[in-house]
Amino acid sequence: MAQNEITLKVAEALSQRDIGQGIARLDPKTMNDLGINERDLIEITGEKKTAAIALPSQTDIGLGVIRIDGLVRKNSGATIGGEVTIKKAQAIEAKKVVLAPTENNIRVQGDVRGLFQGKAMVQGDIIGSQIRTRPASMGMGFDSIFNDLMDFSPMKEIKFAVVSTKPAGIVVVGPNTEVELHESPVDVSNIEGVTNLVDVSYEDIGGLKEEVKKVREMIEIPLKRPELFDKLGIAPPKGVLMHGPPGTGKTLLAKAVASESDAHFIAINGPEIMSKYVGGSEENLREYFEEAEENAPSIIFIDELDAIAPKREDTQGETERRTVAQLLTLMDGLKSRGQVVVIGATNRPDSLDQALRRPGRFDREIEIGVPDAEEREEILEIHTRNMPLAEDVDLHKIAGTTHGFVGADLESLCKEAAMRVVRRIIPEIKNDEEIPEEVLKKIVVTSDDFKSALKEIQPSALREVLVQVPDVKWDDVGGLDDVKQELKEAVEWPLKHPEKFEKFGVRPPKGTLLYGVPGTGKTLLAKAVASESEANFISVKGPELLSKWVGESEQGVREVFRKAKQTAPTVIFFDEIDSIASTRSANDSDSGVTKRVVNQLLTEMDGLEELEDVAIIAATNRPDILDAGLMRPGRFDRHIKVDLPNEDARLSIFKVHTEGMPLADDVSLEKLAKQTDGYVGADIEAVCREAAMLTLRNNLDAENVPYKYFKEALEKVKPSNSPGDQVQYI
């Protein structure tokens, strides 16, 4: 090896800001040894030759690695874990480069030279045209490279193939470079020499660090280094089953593995192998496995595996049973499969035939779960990579408020935010005309766009249960200061500051029971606590869980808790809990459904399975009939009585309900608060509403609400609770 070059191990890019920019991150010591300065051009040689801009990586000192993204890896013919040789290259400004899009239906208008300004390329490379809207935040002196981009319209990332360069070899697009674009796309596989190219890299997968690592261990090592297994005298893993909620990235991960390992990739959508002819489905399966063996090393990816391999005892059809049996023999029959790995994906692992889930078939099961806040931020960075974001967009904050969102939900959120921008500018665009430059410069996604989009996009895991994001703040609840404080401590603090409870070694309260006379604001308090704690909110009305079918009511309870765990942090609110959790007795007249529902509730709240980041609030105006098992610590730890409001509380309730109401000068809220002794919050709201209605009845053009109509309203609206109703709450 020459003095001026060095061999390094390839690793994935760490920062989303580097993706698509033709950047290689190196150990500063390596850069020093080779005389490479920051932003110098380097030549990277794997199976092919390409170029990249060198930047230092402080996290890789002494590790002997080079961090490059999926595009640069493809261009150099290297894979993660492989080796490449690097040396300093001479940056020659290109006189002319000829590019062609790699996708159909691409229309590029105007001067595009600025999109590629400062990019290094070699004939045969695939390059991206990404736009950064905030180059200053990138540091590392990138302003100079990306300044020209700011004058160009934002566009989605388009991949271009470098058809030719003049002069040949490594060139850089400069201010005087002529950039020629072909209108017709080119076949990428011819340029890259790769068949079945799937254009997804590991950097396109947000979060899932551990899962990617497990999958790579299971799949890449057997395909690339089969001799290791021969030496150890063991058979390599044959299959991986990925399971988890829909939209978490199972299919995307399989595509990335196929793309990164350069293996022959066969994608099968479960239902498409089924045939109407006897034996046709089994034959289709055999053909796929034969193709994989002929082109080994291969990956067979079966999406929606549960569609073709259900439990044989649960299925009525003979076809399904034969298909399952065929799959079993293909995966672990007498015939050796060689270098063929099967990846299965399903969101219903429990419905798969048990014989498939044993070692030798699907050796490893990997759960692809719901991402946490840090992983959500990474996913948002990926989906906003090519999006012109305003300065006020804080992805960290958005990630913190999107609890329970999977990757697909976050992608949908970004699309919805972008669509709002489109809706704003559509009126300014005339038909069949190019979009004016001043309009293009307005295409910026703001923080308000994301806020509006959040109101429409719900976590997909919660769509089946009744979910609402309450827009109720603590200030919207008049009075009840003591109750609000207790709720903050019991619900909001554990969800927002779990580390504080860990520090003191205490377990936060699990459940909170709100009880008191009707109309005091129990449901309103639950909404406020869900909104203020920025948690998902599942509202369960007691009676709606009950079903005439045996087992359905208990299943409803299980489903609510399962969804809550999936999308944690979640607040579950049981309204009118007395309807489903009344005292169990021997002479129940409801065929024992109450007993079973109560038992299910007891085990869900305090069973063997721990509830993480799930707060339970229940409201009732009949605490005397609730089952004693629910009332003990560990279930409903806190019992909070929501009392009749006193004078001060009634005043604050009046202030809440008359906030947007034009009041006459003679209206004294203090006087009204004195006159409404025994009134609850709902009664006071009714008084305010009635006073406004009486005003409008008298004069539709009235400017304000005078006191006399409040007096009339008090005559009509009496306290809804008599003293006798309140005995049970004492």
Side-chain angles (χ1 to χ4, degrees):
M1 191 186 292
Q3 289 281 316
N4 62 345
E5 60 183 48
I6 191 168
T7 300
L8 298 171
K9 189 173 269 191
V10 177
E12 69 270 30
L14 286 179
S15 172
Q16 286 298 323
R17 294 177 182 142
D18 292 353
I19 311 298
Q21 303 303 321
I23 289 167
R25 295 265 177 190
L26 301 166
D27 177 354
K29 187 176 179 303
T30 304
M31 291 175 70
N32 197 41
D33 292 349
L34 296 177
I36 300 169
N37 297 318
E38 199 174 302
R39 297 189 305 281
D40 275 358
L41 208 59
I42 58 168
E43 182 183 296
I44 304 172
T45 310
E47 289 180 6
K48 296 186 289 184
K49 194 178 286 184
T50 190
I53 297 163
L55 284 175
S57 172
Q58 301 299 334
T59 57
D60 298 321
I61 294 172
L63 295 180
V65 298
I66 176 171
R67 293 197 179 274
I68 47 181
D69 67 11
L71 269 182
V72 180
R73 291 199 295 273
K74 282 286 181 195
N75 291 337
S76 63
T79 56
I80 294 174
E83 290 185 338
V84 292
T85 305
I86 68 154
K87 63 179 181 182
K88 190 173 177 178
Q90 201 58 43
I92 303 167
E93 187 177 336
K95 290 181 179 158
K96 182 180 179 181
V97 295
V98 180
L99 307 173
T102 60
E103 301 171 47
N104 289 309
N105 306 319
I106 295 295
R107 180 186 168 203
V108 183
Q109 57 188 36
D111 185 2
V112 294
R113 188 169 39 196
L115 295 174
F116 308 102
Q117 191 83 14
K119 282 215 181 226
M121 55 188 74
V122 180
Q123 184 178 342
D125 276 0
I126 305 291
I127 57 170
S129 64
Q130 285 185 318
I131 295 172
R132 299 283 182 218
T133 54
R134 297 186 280 189
S137 63
M138 292 179 68
M140 297 294 186
F142 260 62
D143 292 0
S144 58
I145 297 176
F146 290 101
N147 271 348
D148 290 305
L149 297 188
M150 296 306 103
D151 300 328
F152 289 85
S153 64
M155 58 193 280
K156 90 181 246 300
E157 182 190 21
I158 300 172
K159 290 199 172 59
F160 293 90
V162 182
V163 179
S164 65
T165 65
K166 195 173 178 184
I170 297 170
V171 294
V172 177
V173 176
N176 301 313
T177 303
E178 182 191 344
V179 179
E180 184 185 317
L181 277 183
H182 278 196
E183 285 189 11
S184 56
V186 296
D187 185 0
V188 180
S189 59
N190 292 341
I191 294 176
E192 299 198 19
V194 179
T195 54
N196 287 348
L197 180 76
V198 182
D199 197 15
V200 179
S201 67
Y202 288 134
E203 288 89 0
D204 296 326
I205 301 172
L208 304 182
K209 287 276 186 296
E210 284 304 308
E211 290 86 347
V212 169
K213 194 176 166 186
K214 285 178 187 171
V215 170
R216 283 187 56 203
E217 278 173 11
M218 292 284 296
I219 294 168
E220 280 192 19
I221 298 170
L223 293 179
K224 286 183 181 175
R225 298 275 186 266
E227 67 274 10
L228 288 174
F229 292 90
D230 292 341
K231 183 78 175 168
L232 290 164
I234 58 170
K238 291 186 176 180
V240 178
L241 179 66
M242 296 191 289
H243 61 93
T248 46
K250 300 183 290 293
T251 310
L252 191 71
L253 183 48
K255 286 179 178 175
V257 168
S259 183
E260 294 279 4
S261 60
D262 275 346
H264 185 76
F265 187 66
I266 301 171
I268 309 171
N269 290 320
E272 74 184 17
I273 69 156
M274 303 308 279
S275 169
K276 64 180 178 180
Y277 301 109
V278 175
S281 307
E282 299 94 294
E283 190 181 350
N284 291 339
L285 261 179
R286 286 195 298 276
E287 282 174 2
Y288 282 124
F289 274 81
E290 281 164 15
E291 183 194 334
E293 284 170 30
E294 284 167 13
N295 296 281
S298 302
I299 294 171
I300 299 175
F301 174 59
I302 308 176
D303 208 0
E304 309 303 339
L305 182 62
D306 53 283
I308 63 165
K311 286 181 179 169
R312 282 170 287 182
E313 62 266 28
D314 294 347
T315 181
Q316 301 298 314
E318 200 58 42
T319 307
E320 287 86 352
R321 289 176 193 166
R322 288 201 307 271
T323 308
V324 174
Q326 181 68 76
L327 188 59
L328 294 174
T329 52
L330 285 169
M331 288 193 71
D332 190 25
L334 292 170
K335 189 180 170 191
S336 173
R337 279 195 284 130
Q339 280 189 285
V340 177
V341 175
V342 183
I343 306 177
T346 179
N347 44 45
R348 299 176 61 207
D350 295 336
S351 66
L352 291 179
D353 194 89
Q354 286 122 323
L356 269 177
R357 298 180 70 179
R358 72 153 175 83
R361 283 156 186 159
F362 286 111
D363 298 80
R364 184 79 65 91
E365 294 189 7
I366 299 172
E367 185 178 1
I368 313 291
V370 177
D372 60 22
E374 195 178 321
E375 290 168 340
R376 288 197 297 273
E377 189 174 349
E378 196 178 337
I379 296 167
L380 284 166
E381 280 177 1
I382 291 167
H383 290 302
T384 57
R385 205 188 277 162
N386 314 309
M387 202 179 272
L389 298 179
E391 291 290 336
D392 64 347
V393 175
D394 185 349
L395 294 181
H396 181 74
K397 193 175 173 186
I398 296 168
T401 56
T402 46
H403 307 295
F405 279 60
V406 295
D409 298 329
L410 293 167
E411 184 184 9
S412 181
L413 176 69
C414 295
K415 282 180 182 171
E416 184 59 35
M419 283 306 297
R420 291 180 179 278
V421 181
V422 173
R423 286 178 204 135
R424 274 204 303 275
I425 64 154
I426 281 289
E428 301 180 45
I429 302 170
K430 292 176 183 171
N431 289 342
D432 303 326
E433 284 186 19
E434 281 193 11
I435 302 170
E437 199 170 319
E438 62 270 16
V439 175
L440 284 171
K441 285 187 176 177
K442 289 181 189 172
I443 300 180
V444 177
V445 184
T446 65
S447 176
D448 288 339
D449 293 323
F450 275 99
K451 279 179 189 167
S452 305
L454 262 171
K455 289 176 184 171
E456 290 194 18
I457 307 293
Q458 297 290 351
S460 51
L462 281 176
R463 284 185 189 149
E464 294 166 35
V465 290
L466 179 64
V467 62
Q468 43 186 310
V469 181
D471 193 19
V472 179
K473 303 294 179 196
W474 288 126
D475 296 341
D476 299 329
V477 182
L480 305 176
D481 292 331
D482 295 344
V483 179
K484 284 194 273 192
Q485 186 58 37
E486 282 208 56
L487 274 175
K488 279 182 189 175
E489 293 166 11
V491 183
E492 194 181 333
W493 289 3
L495 293 180
K496 278 191 166 177
H497 312 288
E499 70 284 352
K500 303 292 183 195
F501 287 84
E502 280 177 30
K503 184 181 171 184
F504 284 91
V506 292
R507 186 178 58 79
K510 266 195 190 156
T512 305
L513 180 70
L514 299 172
Y515 68 98
V517 290
T520 45
K522 299 183 290 294
T523 309
L524 194 67
L525 281 163
K527 287 182 178 179
V529 79
S531 178
E532 292 283 358
S533 55
E534 294 173 342
N536 288 313
F537 187 64
I538 299 177
S539 176
V540 183
K541 296 172 186 70
E544 73 184 14
L545 276 178
L546 296 176
S547 167
K548 65 179 179 179
W549 305 109
V550 175
E552 285 278 326
S553 307
E554 302 93 290
Q555 191 182 346
V557 174
R558 283 197 302 276
E559 195 64 16
V560 165
F561 278 87
R562 188 177 69 81
K563 296 284 185 189
K565 285 177 209 168
Q566 265 187 8
T567 56
T570 309
V571 174
I572 306 175
F573 175 56
F574 288 96
D575 208 0
E576 311 300 341
I577 194 169
D578 51 277
S579 62
I580 58 167
S582 55
T583 304
R584 291 166 289 178
S585 64
N587 55 354
D588 279 337
S589 59
D590 58 2
S591 66
V593 68
T594 304
K595 286 182 192 173
R596 294 197 302 272
V597 169
V598 171
N599 289 337
Q600 188 69 54
L601 261 176
L602 296 177
T603 52
E604 290 288 353
M605 287 182 74
D606 192 24
L608 288 172
E609 291 179 33
E610 275 297 311
L611 278 179
E612 292 284 330
D613 291 335
V614 176
I616 303 156
I617 303 175
T620 180
N621 39 41
R622 290 295 309 277
D624 54 314
I625 63 168
L626 285 183
D627 192 89
L630 276 174
M631 304 294 274
R632 72 156 175 83
R635 279 146 188 167
F636 284 114
D637 302 81
R638 289 274 182 105
H639 302 171
I640 303 173
K641 184 182 177 186
V642 186
D643 262 326
L644 291 177
N646 59 20
E647 193 178 313
D648 290 341
R650 291 197 297 275
L651 177 61
S652 54
I653 297 168
F654 267 115
K655 283 177 178 173
V656 167
H657 291 302
T658 58
E659 194 179 357
M661 192 183 283
L663 299 176
D665 294 338
D666 63 342
V667 175
S668 166
L669 296 181
E670 288 81 1
K671 191 176 173 183
L672 285 168
K674 275 194 175 68
Q675 293 172 323
T676 47
D677 188 27
Y679 282 67
V680 294
D683 300 335
I684 293 171
E685 185 183 4
V687 167
C688 296
R689 186 167 50 247
E690 190 60 37
M693 292 303 295
L694 288 167
T695 308
L696 291 171
R697 189 182 297 169
N698 188 54
N699 180 10
L700 265 175
D701 299 321
E703 295 292 321
N704 50 41
V705 183
Y707 175 70
K708 68 174 181 178
Y709 292 122
F710 274 101
K711 200 172 174 185
E712 259 185 69
L714 285 173
E715 294 295 320
K716 287 184 77 172
V717 179
K718 297 295 181 190
S720 53
N721 300 287
S722 65
D725 295 334
Q726 296 161 39
V727 172
Q728 62 199 11
Y729 308 108
I730 296 169

